[in-house]
Amino acid sequence: MVIFLGLKSAKADRASISKLDNASGDLRLEIGRRLELIKPNTWSFLWVIDFPMFEYDEKEKRYGAMHHPFTSPREEDLEKLETDPGAVKALAYDSY
C-alpha cells in the first residue's frame, strides 16, 4: 500500500509543512496499529549503513543521487561508477 500526501503549492509555509509531517506520521502509526505491525512496548531500532549512492530513473533513463548532494561514493566502490553505478554505496556523514 502506498499513500501520497502533499501540498498543492511549492511555496508552502513552515506551519503547513509541519502539519503535513505530523499528519503523515500519525497516519503511518495508525496503519501500523490497524495492521498489527506495531508490537506494544517494543522498540526496534534500525541503522541503515549501506545506503545506495544512486537510483535509476526510468523516465529520465539515467542514474541520479538517491540521498542528497553532500555524499560521495565509498572509496571501495569508485571503480563501479562507470560500470555499475547502481551498486555504488554512499559515504554519508549520517551513515556511520
Side-chain angles (χ1 to χ4, degrees):
M1 169 180 12
V2 176
I3 299 172
F4 292 100
L5 300 175
L7 299 173
K8 288 186 177 182
S9 171
K11 298 180 181 179
D13 59 88
R14 288 180 189 240
S16 297
I17 293 169
S18 179
K19 286 179 185 176
L20 179 61
D21 284 347
N22 290 336
S24 60
D26 291 344
L27 179 61
R28 177 184 55 83
L29 291 171
E30 183 60 28
I31 291 170
R33 281 191 285 273
R34 289 184 184 196
L35 296 177
E36 298 179 359
L37 299 172
I38 299 173
K39 297 177 184 173
N41 303 314
T42 301
W43 288 89
S44 299
F45 294 96
L46 170 72
W47 287 88
V48 177
I49 58 170
D50 290 328
F51 203 86
M53 182 75 191
F54 305 106
E55 66 181 331
Y56 190 74
D57 184 328
E58 287 291 337
K59 184 178 175 186
E60 298 287 327
K61 301 292 184 211
R62 65 182 181 92
Y63 283 92
M66 183 138 188
H67 199 44
H68 55 72
F70 305 108
T71 59
S72 64
R74 289 192 180 170
E75 192 170 331
E76 63 267 23
D77 289 343
L78 289 175
E79 72 277 357
K80 298 176 188 173
L81 282 173
E82 295 293 326
T83 58
D84 191 8
V88 176
K89 302 291 190 283
L91 177 60
Y93 71 91
D94 55 356
S95 65
Y96 288 98

